[in-house]
């Protein structure tokens, strides 16, 4: 795959990493970056993640053959709908947002002929932000979920698939709603729980935290505005996941308050089995 | 500090690390290890964590000047009460258990004259087990909590304090009940929550887990029997901590189901502020 002009909207950790990877792997002739502040564009230019910086989103997207929107999930639909009318025929649009169903719904039947959108979600985030943390190998061996719909043209799907594979990613095709339900469990509910856990800390407890607490709560350092958008876009699936978690916590609570060692041990042993499976699966992928 | 004979009961990750650290730092003339299986004693001997292995706990503790019990928290009191009557005058006993109040209560006024116990908890665990993961630097810069009571003799407290400092640890003196309430929040509730979260996984979700899910659930790989003991020994504080967590989760749930971006953002921003403080505190200590 070879792209003449790749436009990246939002040159933070994810956008910057796409730029670096695309350039290092010879995927794009020219990479344009869109930022809200000149300072982040300068940083992205200095890192070599982009060739040219733009404060005007539409202008940069109109020059693109492929454009990737790496902005907060609650801004993507508006940015795409704003830029699409001026796009060249054959322009392919995608994104890197953590939720997919609301976005895909917002764009259905609203793009001009000749402009395609296929949703993407690279599972390669971090609590870190900004182009200074961009990494050309961020997507290496990581999964990117692509969420076509019944209206998606096969060639567009194939090109987006090739795009993420060229960046080093493994590609998984999923229905947008199914993606959101899955990510509610594997990412959004864990984020809420990490935030709730760290909220229980009082200053006197700080010296009594060890690596377990730090690991369990690490993601809670993520950007609040970004995550507020994610939660609201995926509200129902997150609420359902939270209910499932509450039910499971109640099982633990009952075993605990009944001082039932057999029930506690069973619950913990089942959790350990699943966590050990996860570890095996991750090592196999790495 | 210099110990002639140091006995370590339980030569797993913690016990093995104490042996390695004590020998490498010239803290003990001779290190005796107690194990339930000849195989783990052989491993500890091969790692150089102990000089001599024993299957009989009492025999090894009777030779000790200082003995550290690194066995599951629900076994420690019985082992100490069993061994104490045959101990030499002046023998100092301590432990490495994750809960303190129940243990300290079980031993109050039940040790022979001349034998002292002071409870300890090095915050240096891991989900890994066994002497093969022992590490001479495990306690370096980590906090060890020591939990004396009104009956603890000052010289015994000072020696136990010197013992952990000699192993590289920072020492914090706390009341046993206060320790247990604190650790319920910083360790036991996070463990329960990690176990509950990983229990929500189904096999189809495995490829959709990324580093966030792995970090948030890492501790759930810990030994179920060990953790069942910890939860039951600290039942009331864990149940109280779980209630506080449930209340906080309900605040998130309400903000979510009301689609309230301001409330969500505030909750997440407060969590981020606390997580960032934690990170700063950890880096300062490291």
């Amino acid at each position: 795959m070879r792209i003449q002009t790749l436009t990246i909207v939002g040159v933070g950790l994810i956008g910057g990493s796409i730029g670096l990877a695309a350039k290092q792997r010879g995927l794009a002739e020219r990479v344009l970056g869109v930022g809200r502040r000149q300072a982040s564009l300068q940083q992205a230019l200095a890192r070599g993640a982009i060739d040219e910086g733009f404060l005007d989103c539409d202008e940069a997207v109109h020059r693109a053959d492929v454009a990737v929107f790496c902005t907060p999930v609650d801004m993507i639909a508006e940015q795409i709908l704003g830029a699409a009318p001026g796009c060249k025929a054959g322009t392919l649009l995608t994104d890197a947002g953590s939720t997919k169903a609301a976005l895909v719904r917002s764009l259905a039947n609203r793009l001009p002929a000749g402009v395609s959108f296929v949703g993407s979600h690279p599972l390669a985030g971090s609590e870190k932000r900004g182009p200074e943390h961009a990494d050309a190998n961020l997507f290496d061996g990581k999964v990117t979920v692509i969420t076509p719909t019944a209206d998606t043209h096969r060639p567009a799907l194939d090109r987006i698939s090739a795009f993420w594979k060229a960046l080093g990613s493994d590609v998984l095709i999923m229905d947008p709603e199914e993606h959101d339900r899955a990510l509610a469990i594997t990412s959004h509910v864990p984020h809420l729980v990490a935030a709730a856990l760290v909220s229980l800390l009082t200053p006197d407890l700080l010296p009594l935290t060890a690596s377990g607490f730090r690991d369990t709560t690490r993601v809670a350092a993520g950007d609040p505005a970004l995550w507020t958008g994610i939660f609201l876009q995926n509200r129902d699936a997150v609420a359902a996941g939270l209910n499932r978690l509450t039910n499971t916590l109640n099982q633990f609570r009952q075993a605990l308050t009944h001082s039932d060692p057999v029930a506690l041990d069973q619950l913990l042993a089942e959790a350990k089995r699943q966590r050990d499976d996860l570890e095996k699966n991750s090592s196999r992928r790495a």
Side-chain angles (χ1 to χ4, degrees), chain A:
Chain A
M1 188 187 197
R2 181 89 187 147
I3 300 166
Q4 209 162 14
T5 301
L6 170 65
T7 294
I8 300 169
V9 183
V11 288
L13 170 72
I14 298 285
S17 299
I18 290 174
L20 281 179
K23 290 175 57 122
Q24 281 190 17
R25 292 160 187 252
L27 175 61
E29 200 100 352
R30 193 157 182 78
V31 179
L32 313 185
V34 178
R36 273 185 302 183
R37 293 173 305 119
Q38 198 62 53
S40 25
L41 291 173
Q42 290 299 352
Q43 264 184 312
L45 281 163
R47 285 295 312 272
I50 59 174
D51 297 310
E52 203 178 336
F54 292 78
L55 290 168
D56 183 331
C57 176
D58 292 358
E59 186 185 349
V61 174
H62 294 166
R63 295 208 205 167
D65 298 292
V66 174
V68 194
F69 290 77
C70 307
T71 37
V73 287
D74 45 0
M75 295 172 57
I76 298 172
E78 200 180 315
Q79 288 177 322
I80 289 182
L81 290 170
C87 282
K88 298 188 286 193
T91 303
L92 192 51
L93 309 176
T94 189
D95 74 311
S98 298
T99 57
K100 298 268 73 80
L103 174 61
V104 163
R105 262 198 312 270
S106 308
L107 300 179
N109 306 316
R110 295 179 68 188
L111 296 180
V115 176
S116 309
F117 170 81
V118 187
S120 310
H121 177 203
L123 306 188
S126 157
E127 76 282 9
K128 302 207 179 79
R129 298 181 67 198
E132 65 271 31
H133 296 111
D135 172 5
N137 300 313
L138 187 69
F139 308 105
D140 241 7
K142 306 283 170 57
V143 167
T144 294
V145 182
I146 302 182
T147 58
T149 64
D151 296 331
T152 304
H153 291 284
R154 185 68 204 212
L157 173 60
D158 289 345
R159 279 190 80 203
I160 288 300
S161 206
F163 172 73
W164 289 107
K165 283 179 185 162
L167 296 178
S169 217
D170 295 333
V171 161
L172 214 65
I173 312 280
M174 285 179 82
D175 169 79
E177 309 273 353
E178 189 194 343
H179 165 276
D180 284 8
R181 279 193 300 271
L183 269 289
I185 300 297
T186 62
S187 171
H188 310 164
V189 169
H191 191 102
L192 264 196
V193 166
L197 270 175
V198 83
S199 302
L200 301 184
L201 268 195
T202 43
D204 55 309
L205 296 182
L206 273 178
L208 298 166
T209 57
S211 60
F213 191 84
R214 285 202 295 280
D215 286 352
T216 313
T217 59
R218 181 180 62 76
V219 295
D223 180 38
L226 198 76
W227 278 93
T228 295
I230 292 171
F231 290 129
L232 293 180
Q233 294 258 321
N234 199 22
R235 189 189 61 179
D236 296 344
V238 174
L242 207 47
N243 286 341
R244 283 183 57 203
L245 180 77
T246 306
N247 291 339
T248 309
L249 280 178
N250 281 338
Q251 291 175 21
F252 279 98
R253 188 198 313 262
Q254 267 198 311
L256 182 71
T257 50
H258 294 157
S259 292
D260 183 342
V262 176
L264 263 179
D265 192 76
Q266 269 175 3
L267 287 164
L268 292 168
E270 176 57 19
K272 177 180 171 50
R273 191 191 61 68
Q274 295 201 259
R275 189 56 185 75
D276 288 346
D277 276 358
L278 176 66
E279 198 64 32
K280 268 180 250 150
N281 191 272
S282 315
S283 337
R284 224 179 10 248
R285 249 196 287 154

